[in-house]
């Protein structure tokens, strides 16, 4: 258990609705990531953070925004959810974000956009 | 750009068979790190192994073994005497020396039947 909690675990929402997913960690790790998992694509990086208020885009960042106002929380927001954003979302953390350091993953959030 | 290819979308074997999961990667970095993660039906991602680019020794851990070959840019994973509990999605991933992003392959679904 790497001390990562994702909430909610499941969410069903309608197209056009704003949605916020939360990732909370108790390990004081500097790096936090949001990935989405889709069949045939594996895990793709949406956004990541390398410190409080320091974030950067991943490969599939369009339609998503993030915020990190404190070390332990990393929020992912879908400003206006679309059906293409139906996916499983994983949060991950690492201490340095570099080299051979492994990532610790949360349990995932299943999001369905109808 | 870094890329990981897992050409096998799905593999089905009968218990006690050996099975090899293929992983081919692309990177321009001279120093890089390769990972394998397992995702059982419960959904969480479990770290299996990390290998750096300067260590080409094969590794064995119980029924699991990994064959790293820089000449073919491959990092294949073999399960010997497979068991039903090995049924999962397996992801290969890559990170460069200074990159702070972990790039995943699309994953291989392994089904082990009794």
């Amino acid at each position: 258990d790497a001390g990562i909690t994702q909430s909610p675990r499941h969410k069903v929402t309608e197209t056009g609705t704003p949605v916020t997913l939360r990732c909370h960690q108790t390990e004081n790790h500097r790096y936090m990531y949001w990935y989405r998992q889709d069949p045939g694509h594996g895990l793709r990086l949406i956004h990541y953070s390398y410190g409080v208020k320091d974030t950067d885009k991943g490969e599939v960042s369009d339609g998503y925004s993030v915020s990190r106002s404190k070390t332990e929380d990393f929020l992912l927001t879908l400003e206006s959810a679309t059906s293409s954003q139906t996916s499983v979302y994983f949060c991950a953390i690492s201490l340095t974000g570099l080299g051979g350091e492994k990532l610790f993953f949360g349990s995932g959030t299943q999001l369905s956009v109808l | 750009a870094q890329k990981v290819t897992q050409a096998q979308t799905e593999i089905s074997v009968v218990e006690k068979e050996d099975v090899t999961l293929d992983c081919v990667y692309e990177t321009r970095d001279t120093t890089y790190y390769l990972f394998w993660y397992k995702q059982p039906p419960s959904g969480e991602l479990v770290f299996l192994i990390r290998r750096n680019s300067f260590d080409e020794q094969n590794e064995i851990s119980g029924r699991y073994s990994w064959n790293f070959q820089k000449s073919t840019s491959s990092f294949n994973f073999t399960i010997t005497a497979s068991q039903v509990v090995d049924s999962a999605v397996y992801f290969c991933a890559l990170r460069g020396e200074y990159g702070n992003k972990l790039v995943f392959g699309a994953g291989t679904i392994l089904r082990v039947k009794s």
Side-chain angles (χ1 to χ4, degrees):
Chain A
D1 183 2
I4 308 172
T5 304
Q6 289 187 234
S7 59
R9 291 296 310 277
H10 303 275
K11 175 79 175 178
V12 179
T13 191
E14 295 183 348
T15 299
T17 303
V19 176
T20 295
L21 308 183
R22 179 180 183 237
C23 178
H24 178 78
Q25 59 143 331
T26 60
E27 304 292 321
N28 204 34
H29 279 41
R30 178 182 176 193
Y31 281 81
M32 299 184 76
Y33 308 80
W34 277 108
Y35 283 89
R36 60 177 288 175
Q37 181 181 7
D38 304 288
H41 293 281
L43 282 88
R44 292 179 293 175
L45 183 64
I46 305 171
H47 282 280
Y48 67 99
S49 169
Y50 46 96
V52 173
K53 298 185 180 179
D54 291 324
T55 65
D56 204 351
K57 296 179 179 181
E59 61 180 303
V60 290
S61 59
D62 288 348
Y64 301 94
S65 63
V66 290
S67 66
R68 191 165 178 201
S69 58
K70 43 187 179 177
T71 300
E72 57 266 35
D73 289 324
F74 191 33
L75 304 180
L76 177 70
T77 297
L78 291 65
E79 301 290 347
S80 178
T82 67
S83 58
S84 64
Q85 294 174 311
T86 293
S87 186
V88 181
Y89 292 84
F90 284 96
C91 174
I93 63 174
S94 68
L95 188 57
T96 69
L98 297 175
E101 188 187 28
K102 65 183 181 183
L103 299 187
F104 296 94
F105 285 85
S107 300
T109 294
Q110 173 70 61
L111 176 66
S112 297
V113 183
L114 306 179
Chain B
Q2 296 173 329
K3 183 179 179 181
V4 176
T5 301
Q6 294 180 255
Q8 303 152 308
T9 303
E10 185 169 338
I11 302 174
S12 289
V13 298
V14 176
E15 212 170 13
K16 298 184 182 178
E17 283 186 24
D18 297 347
V19 58
T20 295
L21 309 181
D22 297 333
C23 173
V24 174
Y25 61 91
E26 296 175 28
T27 181
R28 293 182 180 178
D29 291 353
T30 54
T31 300
Y32 51 89
Y33 300 84
L34 296 161
F35 301 77
W36 276 94
Y37 280 83
K38 173 183 179 180
Q39 185 180 43
S42 55
E44 77 274 18
L45 283 141
V46 178
F47 167 80
L48 294 178
I49 190 172
R50 165 187 48 227
R51 171 67 78 223
N52 74 56
S53 53
F54 294 109
D55 183 1
E56 289 194 68
Q57 281 192 342
N58 291 332
E59 182 157 340
I60 298 175
S61 176
R63 296 184 296 107
Y64 294 172
S65 62
W66 291 268
N67 182 1
F68 176 34
Q69 292 195 341
K70 288 180 75 172
S71 60
T72 57
S73 297
S74 65
F75 186 43
N76 296 338
F77 172 32
T78 297
I79 302 175
T80 302
S82 60
Q83 300 176 2
V84 172
V85 293
D86 295 326
S87 297
V89 183
Y90 291 87
F91 292 99
C92 182
L94 165 72
R95 181 161 60 200
E97 181 177 12
Y98 298 106
N100 48 34
K101 307 170 192 176
L102 195 59
V103 176
F104 285 82
T108 297
I109 301 170
L110 175 62
R111 303 189 195 279
V112 181
K113 303 175 184 177
S114 59

